[in-house]
Amino acid sequence: MRVTSIDIYAVNSSNVCSLSFRDPTSQNPYQVSGIGGLDAEEIVSSYYGASGGSDDKYYRLSLQKRDIVVKIALNPRFALAESYSSLRDELYRLIASSRTGALRLDFKDGVNVVASVSGFVSKFESDQFAKQPGATLTISCDDPMLRGPERIEVDVGDFYQESPTIEDELSTAPHGFIFDITFTSNVNDFIIGDSALDWVFILQYGLYGGFNIGDTIHFSSEHNAKELYLSREGPQLNLAHAVAPLSIWPIMFPGTNDFVCSPGFEWTSISYYPTYWGV
């Protein structure tokens, strides 16, 4: 991932601070003098599933909470009446202007945002008496993964309904995704797994009358946004009670993702955010 600058936004506010990496003319009042926490410092493995025909076990890799430490060199434009003190005050205002308390870091290649991450300022340090005054922000990110700015919509028009393949050529890390399906037959269960059946996710709905033609399932395994419900005439119906024991919630991996599904439905939509370990 190529990054030439970073913008720090106050969430739900219009305030932004642009930090440059390369600024030969020294016109940017805020410049990055150092930054840490952008790599995958501690990768944690958690049990994901086991192959039914062997002793192979599968683990999903993830990160702990990420702390990003941004060292900012202050570069006042004295002709514009800026000072080291006023630039520090603007950083304080940026933090305080977030209505949710959160900041978003946008990593940019030129003018294009390539990835973002959000968190809360846990520390603000200012070396006021240094020869070159600056500030250091520590931003704690409970969701440590960097994500692309736009959701990728998968073209489901040419899918083999029961054996779809999804190519994620951007991500460098596993991630959740969203899909919607509509039933074309009356069936009791819906099953989705990987092509080797190393894991399966089963909705057992026969005890509740089964799925009817025209029913729609909405599924999400995205971070902090798991959703699973049925839409038919009337209110949405939560399907958490229909998830079979030992079911593995589907996620996507970088590269090729081959799924197999039970029959009787058609894909309505699939989407995800490209997800990255770090910069």
Side-chain angles (χ1 to χ4, degrees), residues 74-85 87:
L74 303 178
N75 182 39
R77 294 167 296 186
F78 297 109
L80 300 178
E82 290 178 345
S83 65
Y84 293 112
S85 178
L87 292 182

mmCIF file with all atom_site columns, all heavy atoms in Angstrom, residues 74-85 87:
data_model
loop_
_atom_site.group_PDB
_atom_site.id
_atom_site.type_symbol
_atom_site.label_atom_id
_atom_site.label_alt_id
_atom_site.label_comp_id
_atom_site.label_asym_id
_atom_site.label_entity_id
_atom_site.label_seq_id
_atom_site.pdbx_PDB_ins_code
_atom_site.Cartn_x
_atom_site.Cartn_y
_atom_site.Cartn_z
_atom_site.occupancy
_atom_site.B_iso_or_equiv
_atom_site.pdbx_formal_charge
_atom_site.auth_seq_id
_atom_site.auth_comp_id
_atom_site.auth_asym_id
_atom_site.auth_atom_id
_atom_site.pdbx_PDB_model_num
ATOM 1   N N   . LEU A 1 74 ? 5.484  20.708 14.023 1.00 0.00 ? 74 LEU A N   1
ATOM 2   C CA  . LEU A 1 74 ? 4.721  21.930 13.805 1.00 0.00 ? 74 LEU A CA  1
ATOM 3   C C   . LEU A 1 74 ? 5.543  22.902 12.975 1.00 0.00 ? 74 LEU A C   1
ATOM 4   O O   . LEU A 1 74 ? 6.725  23.152 13.255 1.00 0.00 ? 74 LEU A O   1
ATOM 5   C CB  . LEU A 1 74 ? 4.340  22.563 15.146 1.00 0.00 ? 74 LEU A CB  1
ATOM 6   C CG  . LEU A 1 74 ? 3.548  21.662 16.109 1.00 0.00 ? 74 LEU A CG  1
ATOM 7   C CD1 . LEU A 1 74 ? 3.269  22.399 17.421 1.00 0.00 ? 74 LEU A CD1 1
ATOM 8   C CD2 . LEU A 1 74 ? 2.251  21.204 15.463 1.00 0.00 ? 74 LEU A CD2 1
ATOM 9   N N   . ASN A 1 75 ? 4.912  23.455 11.952 1.00 0.00 ? 75 ASN A N   1
ATOM 10  C CA  . ASN A 1 75 ? 5.614  24.315 11.000 1.00 0.00 ? 75 ASN A CA  1
ATOM 11  C C   . ASN A 1 75 ? 4.785  25.578 10.768 1.00 0.00 ? 75 ASN A C   1
ATOM 12  O O   . ASN A 1 75 ? 4.098  25.707 9.749  1.00 0.00 ? 75 ASN A O   1
ATOM 13  C CB  . ASN A 1 75 ? 5.828  23.547 9.687  1.00 0.00 ? 75 ASN A CB  1
ATOM 14  C CG  . ASN A 1 75 ? 6.593  24.354 8.658  1.00 0.00 ? 75 ASN A CG  1
ATOM 15  O OD1 . ASN A 1 75 ? 7.528  25.075 9.005  1.00 0.00 ? 75 ASN A OD1 1
ATOM 16  N ND2 . ASN A 1 75 ? 6.194  24.248 7.404  1.00 0.00 ? 75 ASN A ND2 1
ATOM 17  N N   . PRO A 1 76 ? 4.805  26.507 11.734 1.00 0.00 ? 76 PRO A N   1
ATOM 18  C CA  . PRO A 1 76 ? 3.942  27.694 11.620 1.00 0.00 ? 76 PRO A CA  1
ATOM 19  C C   . PRO A 1 76 ? 4.272  28.543 10.392 1.00 0.00 ? 76 PRO A C   1
ATOM 20  O O   . PRO A 1 76 ? 5.438  28.718 10.024 1.00 0.00 ? 76 PRO A O   1
ATOM 21  C CB  . PRO A 1 76 ? 4.242  28.476 12.906 1.00 0.00 ? 76 PRO A CB  1
ATOM 22  C CG  . PRO A 1 76 ? 4.903  27.508 13.822 1.00 0.00 ? 76 PRO A CG  1
ATOM 23  C CD  . PRO A 1 76 ? 5.626  26.539 12.949 1.00 0.00 ? 76 PRO A CD  1
ATOM 24  N N   . ARG A 1 77 ? 3.230  29.054 9.774  1.00 0.00 ? 77 ARG A N   1
ATOM 25  C CA  . ARG A 1 77 ? 3.386  30.037 8.703  1.00 0.00 ? 77 ARG A CA  1
ATOM 26  C C   . ARG A 1 77 ? 3.234  31.404 9.355  1.00 0.00 ? 77 ARG A C   1
ATOM 27  O O   . ARG A 1 77 ? 2.137  31.941 9.501  1.00 0.00 ? 77 ARG A O   1
ATOM 28  C CB  . ARG A 1 77 ? 2.335  29.797 7.622  1.00 0.00 ? 77 ARG A CB  1
ATOM 29  C CG  . ARG A 1 77 ? 2.504  28.467 6.886  1.00 0.00 ? 77 ARG A CG  1
ATOM 30  C CD  . ARG A 1 77 ? 1.315  28.089 6.046  1.00 0.00 ? 77 ARG A CD  1
ATOM 31  N NE  . ARG A 1 77 ? 0.115  27.850 6.867  1.00 0.00 ? 77 ARG A NE  1
ATOM 32  C CZ  . ARG A 1 77 ? -1.039 27.401 6.380  1.00 0.00 ? 77 ARG A CZ  1
ATOM 33  N NH1 . ARG A 1 77 ? -1.149 27.122 5.095  1.00 0.00 ? 77 ARG A NH1 1
ATOM 34  N NH2 . ARG A 1 77 ? -2.061 27.228 7.192  1.00 0.00 ? 77 ARG A NH2 1
ATOM 35  N N   . PHE A 1 78 ? 4.367  31.966 9.751  1.00 0.00 ? 78 PHE A N   1
ATOM 36  C CA  . PHE A 1 78 ? 4.351  33.203 10.534 1.00 0.00 ? 78 PHE A CA  1
ATOM 37  C C   . PHE A 1 78 ? 3.738  34.361 9.752  1.00 0.00 ? 78 PHE A C   1
ATOM 38  O O   . PHE A 1 78 ? 3.144  35.277 10.335 1.00 0.00 ? 78 PHE A O   1
ATOM 39  C CB  . PHE A 1 78 ? 5.765  33.547 10.994 1.00 0.00 ? 78 PHE A CB  1
ATOM 40  C CG  . PHE A 1 78 ? 6.361  32.504 11.905 1.00 0.00 ? 78 PHE A CG  1
ATOM 41  C CD1 . PHE A 1 78 ? 7.386  31.683 11.465 1.00 0.00 ? 78 PHE A CD1 1
ATOM 42  C CD2 . PHE A 1 78 ? 5.884  32.350 13.203 1.00 0.00 ? 78 PHE A CD2 1
ATOM 43  C CE1 . PHE A 1 78 ? 7.926  30.728 12.303 1.00 0.00 ? 78 PHE A CE1 1
ATOM 44  C CE2 . PHE A 1 78 ? 6.424  31.389 14.048 1.00 0.00 ? 78 PHE A CE2 1
ATOM 45  C CZ  . PHE A 1 78 ? 7.457  30.573 13.588 1.00 0.00 ? 78 PHE A CZ  1
ATOM 46  N N   . ALA A 1 79 ? 3.853  34.321 8.421  1.00 0.00 ? 79 ALA A N   1
ATOM 47  C CA  . ALA A 1 79 ? 3.248  35.382 7.605  1.00 0.00 ? 79 ALA A CA  1
ATOM 48  C C   . ALA A 1 79 ? 1.735  35.370 7.719  1.00 0.00 ? 79 ALA A C   1
ATOM 49  O O   . ALA A 1 79 ? 1.072  36.376 7.451  1.00 0.00 ? 79 ALA A O   1
ATOM 50  C CB  . ALA A 1 79 ? 3.672  35.225 6.141  1.00 0.00 ? 79 ALA A CB  1
ATOM 51  N N   . LEU A 1 80 ? 1.171  34.201 8.122  1.00 0.00 ? 80 LEU A N   1
ATOM 52  C CA  . LEU A 1 80 ? -0.279 34.081 8.308  1.00 0.00 ? 80 LEU A CA  1
ATOM 53  C C   . LEU A 1 80 ? -0.655 34.173 9.778  1.00 0.00 ? 80 LEU A C   1
ATOM 54  O O   . LEU A 1 80 ? -1.763 33.785 10.168 1.00 0.00 ? 80 LEU A O   1
ATOM 55  C CB  . LEU A 1 80 ? -0.778 32.753 7.722  1.00 0.00 ? 80 LEU A CB  1
ATOM 56  C CG  . LEU A 1 80 ? -0.532 32.545 6.233  1.00 0.00 ? 80 LEU A CG  1
ATOM 57  C CD1 . LEU A 1 80 ? -1.033 31.169 5.800  1.00 0.00 ? 80 LEU A CD1 1
ATOM 58  C CD2 . LEU A 1 80 ? -1.219 33.641 5.418  1.00 0.00 ? 80 LEU A CD2 1
ATOM 59  N N   . ALA A 1 81 ? 0.275  34.695 10.579 1.00 0.00 ? 81 ALA A N   1
ATOM 60  C CA  . ALA A 1 81 ? 0.042  34.888 12.016 1.00 0.00 ? 81 ALA A CA  1
ATOM 61  C C   . ALA A 1 81 ? -0.112 33.573 12.765 1.00 0.00 ? 81 ALA A C   1
ATOM 62  O O   . ALA A 1 81 ? -0.736 33.525 13.839 1.00 0.00 ? 81 ALA A O   1
ATOM 63  C CB  . ALA A 1 81 ? -1.171 35.782 12.265 1.00 0.00 ? 81 ALA A CB  1
ATOM 64  N N   . GLU A 1 82 ? 0.428  32.477 12.213 1.00 0.00 ? 82 GLU A N   1
ATOM 65  C CA  . GLU A 1 82 ? 0.413  31.214 12.928 1.00 0.00 ? 82 GLU A CA  1
ATOM 66  C C   . GLU A 1 82 ? 1.588  31.160 13.900 1.00 0.00 ? 82 GLU A C   1
ATOM 67  O O   . GLU A 1 82 ? 2.634  31.793 13.674 1.00 0.00 ? 82 GLU A O   1
ATOM 68  C CB  . GLU A 1 82 ? 0.500  30.041 11.949 1.00 0.00 ? 82 GLU A CB  1
ATOM 69  C CG  . GLU A 1 82 ? -0.746 29.847 11.107 1.00 0.00 ? 82 GLU A CG  1
ATOM 70  C CD  . GLU A 1 82 ? -0.604 28.701 10.126 1.00 0.00 ? 82 GLU A CD  1
ATOM 71  O OE1 . GLU A 1 82 ? 0.530  28.245 9.887  1.00 0.00 ? 82 GLU A OE1 1
ATOM 72  O OE2 . GLU A 1 82 ? -1.638 28.267 9.581  1.00 0.00 ? 82 GLU A OE2 1
ATOM 73  N N   . SER A 1 83 ? 1.427  30.390 14.957 1.00 0.00 ? 83 SER A N   1
ATOM 74  C CA  . SER A 1 83 ? 2.485  30.180 15.929 1.00 0.00 ? 83 SER A CA  1
ATOM 75  C C   . SER A 1 83 ? 2.446  28.724 16.379 1.00 0.00 ? 83 SER A C   1
ATOM 76  O O   . SER A 1 83 ? 1.487  27.990 16.095 1.00 0.00 ? 83 SER A O   1
ATOM 77  C CB  . SER A 1 83 ? 2.294  31.092 17.144 1.00 0.00 ? 83 SER A CB  1
ATOM 78  O OG  . SER A 1 83 ? 1.105  30.750 17.846 1.00 0.00 ? 83 SER A OG  1
ATOM 79  N N   . TYR A 1 84 ? 3.499  28.286 17.076 1.00 0.00 ? 84 TYR A N   1
ATOM 80  C CA  . TYR A 1 84 ? 3.492  26.926 17.597 1.00 0.00 ? 84 TYR A CA  1
ATOM 81  C C   . TYR A 1 84 ? 2.296  26.722 18.522 1.00 0.00 ? 84 TYR A C   1
ATOM 82  O O   . TYR A 1 84 ? 1.638  25.676 18.501 1.00 0.00 ? 84 TYR A O   1
ATOM 83  C CB  . TYR A 1 84 ? 4.797  26.640 18.347 1.00 0.00 ? 84 TYR A CB  1
ATOM 84  C CG  . TYR A 1 84 ? 6.006  26.606 17.452 1.00 0.00 ? 84 TYR A CG  1
ATOM 85  C CD1 . TYR A 1 84 ? 6.981  27.599 17.547 1.00 0.00 ? 84 TYR A CD1 1
ATOM 86  C CD2 . TYR A 1 84 ? 6.186  25.586 16.522 1.00 0.00 ? 84 TYR A CD2 1
ATOM 87  C CE1 . TYR A 1 84 ? 8.099  27.577 16.733 1.00 0.00 ? 84 TYR A CE1 1
ATOM 88  C CE2 . TYR A 1 84 ? 7.308  25.555 15.704 1.00 0.00 ? 84 TYR A CE2 1
ATOM 89  C CZ  . TYR A 1 84 ? 8.253  26.559 15.803 1.00 0.00 ? 84 TYR A CZ  1
ATOM 90  O OH  . TYR A 1 84 ? 9.352  26.540 14.994 1.00 0.00 ? 84 TYR A OH  1
ATOM 91  N N   . SER A 1 85 ? 2.015  27.723 19.317 1.00 0.00 ? 85 SER A N   1
ATOM 92  C CA  . SER A 1 85 ? 0.895  27.623 20.248 1.00 0.00 ? 85 SER A CA  1
ATOM 93  C C   . SER A 1 85 ? -0.443 27.507 19.521 1.00 0.00 ? 85 SER A C   1
ATOM 94  O O   . SER A 1 85 ? -1.289 26.690 19.887 1.00 0.00 ? 85 SER A O   1
ATOM 95  C CB  . SER A 1 85 ? 0.874  28.839 21.181 1.00 0.00 ? 85 SER A CB  1
ATOM 96  O OG  . SER A 1 85 ? -0.231 28.778 22.055 1.00 0.00 ? 85 SER A OG  1
ATOM 97  N N   . LEU A 1 87 ? -1.013 26.373 16.521 1.00 0.00 ? 87 LEU A N   1
ATOM 98  C CA  . LEU A 1 87 ? -1.125 25.085 15.841 1.00 0.00 ? 87 LEU A CA  1
ATOM 99  C C   . LEU A 1 87 ? -1.471 23.975 16.833 1.00 0.00 ? 87 LEU A C   1
ATOM 100 O O   . LEU A 1 87 ? -2.274 23.083 16.531 1.00 0.00 ? 87 LEU A O   1
ATOM 101 C CB  . LEU A 1 87 ? 0.175  24.751 15.107 1.00 0.00 ? 87 LEU A CB  1
ATOM 102 C CG  . LEU A 1 87 ? 0.519  25.645 13.905 1.00 0.00 ? 87 LEU A CG  1
ATOM 103 C CD1 . LEU A 1 87 ? 1.805  25.169 13.243 1.00 0.00 ? 87 LEU A CD1 1
ATOM 104 C CD2 . LEU A 1 87 ? -0.614 25.666 12.893 1.00 0.00 ? 87 LEU A CD2 1
#
